[in-house]
Amino acid sequence: MPAVCRKARVEDVEPLYQMIQGYAEKGIMLPRSRNVLEKQIEEFVVAEWDGTVIGCGSLCQLGSDLVEIRSLGISEGYKGKGIGSMLVDSLMAEAKRREIPKVMALTYEVSFFIKNGFAVVEKDIFPEKVWTDCIHCKKQHACDEIAVLKVMN
């Protein structure tokens, strides 16, 4: 049975927390508390395989014309099956539904985002991101993530 994407529900908080925490422990994703996940659950989509949450991603509004893809991750054993692209497509559809033309991400997986229609850009074109999140990040002055952007037609 193939994976399906759907809007996250409150009962998904624990699997989301576990997945995000695993990435955070490797230093490749910002941690999210269970409480924050509960409050932001409507911003998340999940990929489900045979009833199990195996992937996630969220949108965060940074400005009237800009959202960020955050917390995009796939469980080990499910990578390379197109699930990440399904999640991105779902998040892009939500941005389009909200009439937000620009979608950005900070990533270590540049080739994945390029494959999904994003382009590499300079981080400093996103002051909204810098002043909402980056000022709280321990990597603020030595950020090694790459900024990517997709502008919808």
Side-chain angles (χ1 to χ4, degrees), residues 36-88:
V36 164
L37 289 170
E38 252 181 61
K39 289 179 182 174
Q40 297 176 350
I41 198 71
E42 69 280 348
E43 302 299 328
F44 276 83
V45 294
V46 297
E48 198 175 61
W49 191 297
D50 200 22
T52 301
V53 173
I54 53 136
C56 65
S58 70
L59 283 183
C60 176
Q61 187 119 13
L62 296 176
S64 61
D65 67 343
L66 178 67
V67 290
E68 178 187 12
I69 292 179
R70 290 185 174 179
S71 303
L72 185 65
I74 309 294
S75 294
E76 291 300 324
Y78 294 94
K79 295 178 181 175
K81 299 180 185 304
I83 295 163
S85 293
M86 285 176 49
L87 287 163
V88 168

Side-chain angles (χ1 to χ4, degrees), residues 16-28:
L16 286 172
Y17 174 79
Q18 294 298 328
M19 186 176 309
I20 292 168
Q21 190 62 23
Y23 279 99
E25 288 169 1
K26 295 175 186 171
I28 54 177

